[in-house]
Structure formats: structure tokens, C-alpha cells
Amino acid sequence: MQGNYKALWLNDDLFDECLEVIDQRLLPFIEDTRHLTTTEEVVTAIKNMTVRGAGVIGSVAAFGIYIAAMEVEGDYDALKEKAALIRESRPTAINLMWAVDKMMELLKDSDNLIEDARDAAIELNDAEALESQKIAEFGCDIIEEILKQKNKTRINILTHCNAGWLAVIDEGTALAPIYEAKRRGIDVHVWVDETRPRNQGASLTAWELSKEGIEHTIIADNMGGLLMQRGEVDMVIVGADRVSANGDVANKIGTYLKALAAHDNGVPFYVAIPASTFDFEINDGVKEIPIEERSGDEVKFIRGVDEDGVLRRVRITPEESPTKNYGFDVTPARLITALITNRGVCRADFDEIKEKFRG
Ligand code: MRU
């Protein structure tokens, strides 16, 4: 694969260069893109999840700074105000704040703000792509190791949400080792959690895996525990939106329950992340990582195509029933076998993380 698919790219067909992104709200039914030409459009696209996934919203934010720099015609003070809007567009994925802060730091002494913002955003994205390739390799080494230990030739991996190339440039995080496994000729099968309420697994992960010809099965979110009890899951790999200094992992709601089931059944539970996902300001992720709360309509309504192929949004609950919709949960470090990072495999442990990433 390696960069064959892109979630976003610069487009200079319009009067001013803009960012073109795949509209992830429409997948897997319609493959379409959106042009982001203003800061407001960038902020809206992140908020309404036209683009999503921790890495990709960081990437969009970096290009958003370039778009904002064009809007303010190179005025750094005015750019700071636009940067704050982008930075606040979603609360949990630290990659968003990281990308904005990194861009603003790089640009603070720039005499050529627009051009430098463009170069910096491209560089940031290229670096993320390389990190994702490293995660692919380290993660796939673990897959090979598990197969060797179990004396098996086929691996069954369970994943939650979408952590492929739609979520992180260029191969993703959790799906990167799976793509690498395919390149190495390993017989791989993926259990894809549907990931209610927005169904990123059923619609996005399944779409990515289908495109790559990787064998997979979509399951209801509640099925993983039974599969683990029956020995039908060899390992779990998920991505993350923020990892605290002590190794607690915020990821899509439902991840924690999978980690508990994996722990109870002795199934290795891995979290694949680039360095930009660490938040060293937070020492207790369970208590301190901010959790996004989204509209209850995401629980009440579901989107899909009807028998005539028409894309529809339908309500699946009584109209008057109240809902609650936290977007993420936090898996405590003690439930995590290890983090698969661009710098190698690392225990979810304060000292080991510090040594590898802060030294
Ligand atoms: O709300 P989303 O779809 O942006 O949430 C995405 C996830 O939780 C992914 O699992 C996460 O970003 C890991 S991949 C970087």
C-alpha cells in the first residue's frame, strides 16, 4: 500500500491552493471529497467529522494553519487567533493540539509566513507517514512472534473503531501492522467491531480492508468477549487519541471493555501510536484526559442505504428517550500488553515511556 491511498492532499486547481479531503461521513456509500478553503471550513470539517481520526485531524489542522496564513495574508498575530479556533475544534485527540502548537512554534519567527506554513505542514505530514511505516514494521514483527509462539499460520486480530489510513497518514496505526502482514504474505483475518454509535469500524475499517483485499468480518460491538473466550482472537490492536505519561490510553468509546475482556482471556492487547499521541502533561489518564461528549442524535439516528440504494438517516429509538454520548473512554495502562510506537515496542509504563520518548 504505502501511500497508495490518501485521506487528504493539496489542490491548486482553484484560485488559491486549498486542502482537499475525503468526506468520511459518506463512506462506504459514496466516495466524494470536500475542498477546505477557509479556517471556518477547516474547523467545521473537524467538528462534524468530515475528517476524523487523531492523526488525520492533526494533519488537517497543520494544513489549516497554512490556509489560515493565506487568509490573514501572513500576519502572525491574526494567525494566532485562527490557530486557537482550529485547536479547540475537538477536545480528546492530542494530535490536533500538538500539530497546531508545532506549526505555530515553527512559524513564530518566519518572514515568509504563507510559504513557510505550507512547507511546515507538508513536512509534518511526511514525518507522520514515516512514523506510520515504522509502526507497521514493529507491529508486524509482533504478529510474526505470536504466530511462532502458537505454532499457527493464520492470525485473527480484533480491532475497534478506525485506525487506518483514513485516520492517520499514510497507513494508519492499528491497521498499519495488518497492511504490513499482508505485504509479508501472512494469512491475516480481522474481526472488525462495528463501533457504535458512528460505526467507524463497520463503515470505514471494513471499507479500507475491502479495498486492500484483506479478509475481515464485521461484528457487533458486544461479540468480542465471546470470541475471546472461544480462542478466536489471537490479539487485539487499537489506535489511540491520547496516551498519558503513565500509559493510560484514550480511544474510541468501547475500547476499555475490549481491554477488560482481553485481560480476562489472556489475549494480548496492543495500542499502536505515533509519538505525537503522548500527552506528557497528564500523569493519570483515567482521571484527567478530556472526554468529548457528542450529540445524542448520533445514538438516536443511524445512516445507511435503503433497498433502492438511497442514502437515508433513520431514527432507531423512541423520539422522547434521552441519550448520553461520550465519544471516548480510557483504558488503564495495567490492561495494555504494550504500545507499538514508531520507536519500537514500549510497555505502557511511566518510566519506560519517559526513557523512550522524553530522554
Ligand atoms: O471520533 P473519531 O472517529 O475521530 O475517533 C477515532 C478513534 O478513536 C480512533 O480509534 C483513533 O483516532 C485512533 S487512530 C489515530
Side-chain angles (χ1 to χ4, degrees):
M1 203 179 76
Q2 280 164 25
N4 286 345
Y5 298 114
K6 299 271 176 207
L8 53 106
W9 54 91
L10 284 172
N11 177 329
D12 58 7
D13 292 349
L14 304 181
F15 178 68
D16 273 328
E17 194 167 49
C18 74
L19 186 65
E20 189 164 350
V21 298
I22 294 186
D23 188 339
Q24 300 195 27
R25 296 167 306 172
L26 304 176
L27 293 173
F29 313 109
I30 299 168
E31 295 184 21
D32 201 1
T33 62
R34 293 273 173 274
H35 291 123
L36 307 182
T37 59
T38 63
T39 308
E40 202 185 330
E41 285 173 1
V42 168
V43 169
T44 305
I46 295 173
K47 279 190 173 161
N48 71 16
M49 295 176 64
T50 301
V51 288
R52 40 123 332 261
V56 157
I57 58 178
S59 300
V60 169
F63 282 111
I65 298 292
Y66 163 51
I67 289 168
M70 288 193 277
E71 260 182 313
V72 299
E73 296 173 352
D75 175 343
Y76 186 79
D77 285 333
L79 184 64
K80 277 207 252 178
E81 285 172 31
K82 302 266 183 200
L85 296 175
I86 298 173
R87 201 178 189 282
E88 285 157 15
S89 51
R90 281 188 80 187
T92 301
I94 188 80
N95 311 61
L96 169 65
M97 297 86 187
W98 171 84
V100 170
D101 294 347
K102 191 171 165 93
M103 289 289 291
M104 294 307 286
E105 177 63 25
L106 285 169
L107 296 173
K108 70 177 191 290
D109 298 321
S110 166
D111 297 326
N112 198 349
L113 203 64
I114 299 176
E115 211 170 292
D116 288 349
R118 185 181 192 277
D119 290 347
I122 292 173
E123 210 170 291
L124 183 142
N125 272 276
D126 289 348
E128 290 279 284
L130 281 179
E131 295 194 354
S132 142
Q133 184 50 40
K134 284 287 174 205
I135 291 168
E137 286 160 17
F138 291 126
C140 192
D141 291 345
I142 296 175
I143 292 175
E144 286 187 333
E145 193 52 42
I146 289 175
L147 284 174
K148 206 163 111 195
Q149 273 169 18
K150 291 186 150 184
N151 199 19
K152 282 177 64 175
T153 53
R154 176 179 169 87
I155 189 119
N156 285 298
I157 301 175
L158 185 140
T159 192
H160 190 72
C161 196
N162 172 262
W165 60 266
L166 288 166
V168 180
I169 310 287
D170 249 343
E171 299 220 346
T173 48
L175 294 194
I178 292 167
Y179 290 134
E180 177 68 15
K182 189 187 172 221
R183 286 193 288 271
R184 292 190 197 174
I186 294 169
D187 183 6
V188 56
H189 166 258
V190 186
W191 296 110
V192 179
D193 278 354
E194 61 178 349
T195 320
R196 281 279 294 147
R198 290 188 67 103
N199 293 321
Q200 288 95 328
S203 51
L204 305 178
T205 299
W207 182 76
E208 278 196 35
L209 294 175
S210 298
K211 268 187 150 358
E212 276 297 296
I214 291 176
E215 211 189 313
H216 62 279
T217 309
I218 300 168
I219 53 173
D221 287 327
N222 300 328
M223 210 173 102
L226 178 74
L227 291 174
M228 289 183 208
Q229 285 174 326
R230 292 185 170 187
E232 291 183 55
V233 181
D234 297 304
M235 70 190 298
V236 178
I237 317 181
V238 296
D241 291 79
R242 195 185 291 223
V243 179
S244 53
N246 67 332
D248 294 340
V249 165
N251 191 48
K252 182 52 54 192
I253 192 82
T255 303
Y256 172 43
L257 294 179
K258 290 304 133 71
L260 284 170
H263 193 254
D264 196 43
N265 289 283
V267 173
F269 186 94
Y270 288 95
V271 180
I273 49 159
S276 52
T277 306
F278 283 111
D279 182 348
F280 296 113
E281 305 292 307
I282 289 185
N283 285 320
D284 183 335
V286 175
K287 288 201 181 122
E288 296 172 51
I289 294 177
I291 300 293
E292 177 177 32
E293 187 166 358
R294 297 186 62 86
S295 163
D297 281 358
E298 292 183 350
V299 179
K300 279 193 158 179
F301 292 86
I302 196 156
R303 276 151 64 103
V305 286
D306 66 16
E307 55 273 24
D308 299 320
V310 179
L311 187 57
R312 290 197 190 281
R313 176 176 181 264
V314 294
R315 181 163 46 80
I316 56 167
T317 64
E319 201 165 6
E320 64 282 3
S321 293
T323 53
K324 191 83 180 158
N325 186 19
Y326 288 122
F328 299 91
D329 59 25
V330 182
T331 300
R334 69 187 157 80
L335 298 177
I336 296 163
T337 307
L339 306 169
I340 304 168
T341 80
N342 52 298
R343 296 195 190 166
V345 178
C346 170
R347 277 189 310 123
D349 162 81
F350 187 89
D351 291 332
E352 199 164 324
I353 291 172
K354 188 170 170 202
E355 194 189 310
K356 241 188 170 94
F357 290 91
R358 301 194 79 179

